[in-house]
Amino acid sequence: MSPENRLNRITTDAMCVGCGMCQSIAGPDKVRVPLTTTGYERPIAQASLDHETVDRIYAVCPGVRVNGLPGREIDAETTIDHVWGPLKRTIRSWAGDPAVRHLGATGGVLTALAIYLLESRRVDFILHARESKSNPLGGEQHLSFTREDVLTGSGSRYGPTAVLIDIADVLDRNQPFAFIGKPCDISALRNLARVDLRVDDLCQYMLTPVCGGYKEPRAMLKTLTQDMGITGGVEELAAFRYRGNGCPGPTRAETKDGKVTEITYLDLWGASSADWSLPFRCKVCPDGIGESADIAAADTWPGGSPSAEMVEPGADDGTNAIMARTNRGLELMEAAIADGALAYECDVTPRDMDTYQTHQVNKKHGVWARYVGLKNAGQLYPETDGLRIADLAREQSLTFNLAQARGARERARQGRASEQSPVEGKLQ
């Protein structure tokens, strides 16, 4: 297989997460990660590649390599829960500033921590995502140096966001920073740290939301045009916000001619995870819970989704569960509480987390068997280490594991676990 086809296979086998790391590894003269006709951001070779370059990409790509927390971050005081991984302390919390709590996606915890890191001068800037100027349904990489910068990126981005597209340039700044990204983005950065020592020297904190995935671009476009009445599609948008301004807050579209349309979180996603339309890679994610982050923040709705009453304006002020996984994360969490950046409600257990994030538990139980199915179908799947997925599979029934494996194999054989080769352009 040619180097170009090896790179392309990450996309066609539906393993690409769109983080942009491959562009930074190879350089934009060789690989670019633009928006494509599928609505995803995907790598496209710009020149002939060699196998050495593609080997370097495979070594760091979170589509095909996802590991747990590095061993150096785990000590005798670390609890390793079979489902939830390394834990120092888990609490229920929210932003100490009521305005930040209201603006943030849930309780504003990650926004509050980003502001606290800057204002306490622990870091020089935050590398994170904000709304894309060219594609408001997606996001773009952003460096924040002030509270105001951080607030422009508040609220979840449930769309394509290549937040690591120029991580080499970020590291070249030689300044201490914190990174906030999806768990798969954290995995990419941890992978890079094995080959670029500057990551551990400069990236002082890695923070993540617990992630259930994002809506397939074509399904999201359908929501925009049919459910929200923005018939002109993305080109008509001036701004788009998925959640925030309450918990979870409205999904809000603003058009260039001043029209505003809002729908509820349940209108966007449905009442349960069974209603979600996700990219295939999200369905077989081994680590939606951010095991390799210093801190992971989660929603705390019983059963994993809000009730109809909870999505009414003003019904829920927003509460996060925060998992501190490292000593660094624990110190940050407790300092932020002591200084008022975070409010503390109570400590919670991993079994509490099971009730808040039932879909994460179900996925963690089934993902090893799904990989068996993909392997039998001859498809790529993520190599993992330190995530206990084989151990969790052994705890499940043979009937359950066979169903998961056969389902993944059949999806692959039917072409439902693949994407077309990427072509740069507008969603078609």
Side-chain angles (χ1 to χ4, degrees):
M1 186 181 293
S2 71
E4 293 79 14
N5 285 341
R6 287 179 63 207
L7 173 69
N8 203 43
R9 190 183 178 193
I10 298 172
T11 295
T12 57
D13 279 13
M15 290 295 109
C16 180
V17 303
C19 69
M21 177 71 83
C22 50
Q23 177 172 314
S24 186
I25 292 293
D29 57 326
K30 292 185 177 180
V31 175
R32 290 183 58 247
V33 183
L35 202 62
T36 68
T37 54
T38 61
Y40 297 108
E41 291 175 314
R42 295 291 183 254
I44 299 177
Q46 304 298 298
S48 295
L49 301 176
D50 53 59
H51 284 292
E52 182 182 5
T53 299
V54 180
D55 286 344
R56 293 202 309 270
I57 291 172
Y58 267 69
V60 301
C61 173
V64 296
R65 184 178 297 275
V66 181
N67 296 326
L69 192 67
R72 65 181 180 276
E73 300 285 1
I74 299 173
D75 60 25
E77 284 71 47
T78 304
T79 297
I80 308 293
D81 183 75
H82 231 187
V83 173
W84 292 96
L87 298 169
K88 288 288 186 179
R89 187 182 181 189
T90 305
I91 67 170
R92 283 171 58 98
S93 179
W94 53 84
D97 182 336
V100 173
R101 184 184 188 184
H102 180 74
L103 189 63
T106 304
V109 159
L110 293 179
T111 303
L113 286 175
I115 293 170
Y116 179 70
L117 285 168
L118 290 174
E119 295 186 344
S120 63
R121 300 192 176 181
R122 291 167 178 248
V123 298
D124 287 352
F125 63 89
I126 311 294
L127 169 60
H128 64 132
R130 69 175 180 185
E131 180 182 359
S132 170
K133 296 176 182 176
S134 59
N135 174 33
L137 290 182
E140 63 184 15
Q141 179 255 49
H142 181 61
L143 304 186
S144 284
F145 296 87
T146 67
R147 167 188 288 261
E148 290 71 27
D149 283 344
V150 169
L151 293 176
T152 66
S154 64
S156 298
R157 300 307 307 168
Y158 291 111
T161 307
V163 72
L164 296 171
I165 200 164
D166 62 354
I167 185 61
D169 293 337
V170 173
L171 294 171
D172 284 344
R173 299 176 67 95
N174 198 33
Q175 294 175 275
F177 69 97
F179 176 64
I180 303 177
K182 302 187 302 300
C184 52
D185 300 324
I186 301 288
S187 293
L189 200 54
R190 290 289 191 189
N191 289 343
L192 182 64
R194 297 200 308 268
V195 296
D196 191 333
L197 300 180
R198 297 178 300 169
V199 175
D200 287 338
D201 287 341
L202 298 173
C203 187
Q204 304 297 299
Y205 301 90
M206 298 186 189
L207 313 180
T208 190
V210 169
C211 178
Y214 65 95
K215 204 163 188 175
E216 291 178 297
R218 287 195 174 96
M220 190 61 232
L221 182 61
K222 182 178 178 181
T223 296
L224 180 70
T225 56
Q226 296 186 15
D227 299 338
M228 303 186 77
I230 313 298
T231 56
V234 178
E235 290 76 13
E236 195 174 338
L237 286 178
F240 193 88
R241 187 176 181 90
Y242 286 91
R243 57 189 290 186
N245 292 315
C247 178
T251 298
R252 177 185 174 95
E254 300 179 31
T255 64
K256 293 173 182 176
D257 63 2
K259 177 183 176 182
V260 174
T261 302
E262 294 183 345
I263 59 175
T264 72
Y265 184 85
L266 293 180
D267 291 332
L268 175 66
W269 285 105
S272 75
S273 59
D275 301 319
W276 300 352
S277 173
L278 302 176
F280 183 75
R281 174 59 178 76
C282 297
K283 296 177 181 178
V284 297
C285 178
D287 182 29
I289 63 177
E291 288 205 32
S292 60
D294 294 300
I295 285 178
D299 290 322
T300 58
W301 297 308
S305 184
S307 65
E309 292 77 17
M310 289 178 179
V311 301
E312 292 297 320
D316 184 1
D317 290 328
T319 300
N320 287 111
I322 314 177
M323 294 176 284
R325 301 191 178 280
T326 65
N327 287 322
R328 183 185 301 108
L330 178 62
E331 188 280 330
L332 172 62
M333 181 174 77
E334 293 182 343
I337 293 170
D339 290 340
L342 294 182
Y344 166 79
E345 182 180 34
C346 62
D347 281 60
V348 298
T349 71
R351 305 293 69 83
D352 293 323
M353 294 301 302
D354 291 347
T355 67
Y356 301 151
Q357 297 282 329
T358 54
H359 53 287
Q360 295 290 355
V361 177
N362 294 338
K363 189 183 297 183
K364 203 80 168 186
H365 286 165
V367 70
W368 181 86
R370 294 176 189 180
Y371 292 170
V372 171
L374 292 177
K375 182 178 181 179
N376 288 340
Q379 278 206 215
L380 286 177
Y381 58 92
E383 296 182 10
T384 68
D385 183 47
L387 297 177
R388 308 163 310 285
I389 60 173
D391 292 337
L392 286 166
R394 293 187 192 101
E395 297 174 3
Q396 312 312 310
S397 69
L398 178 61
T399 300
F400 174 85
N401 285 328
L402 285 174
Q404 297 295 315
R406 288 168 176 165
R409 182 189 62 194
E410 290 310 304
R411 283 181 176 85
R413 289 179 174 176
Q414 295 167 10
R416 293 159 56 204
S418 61
E419 291 181 28
Q420 68 187 52
S421 292
V423 177
E424 185 172 358
K426 295 191 299 183
L427 175 63
Q428 296 179 357

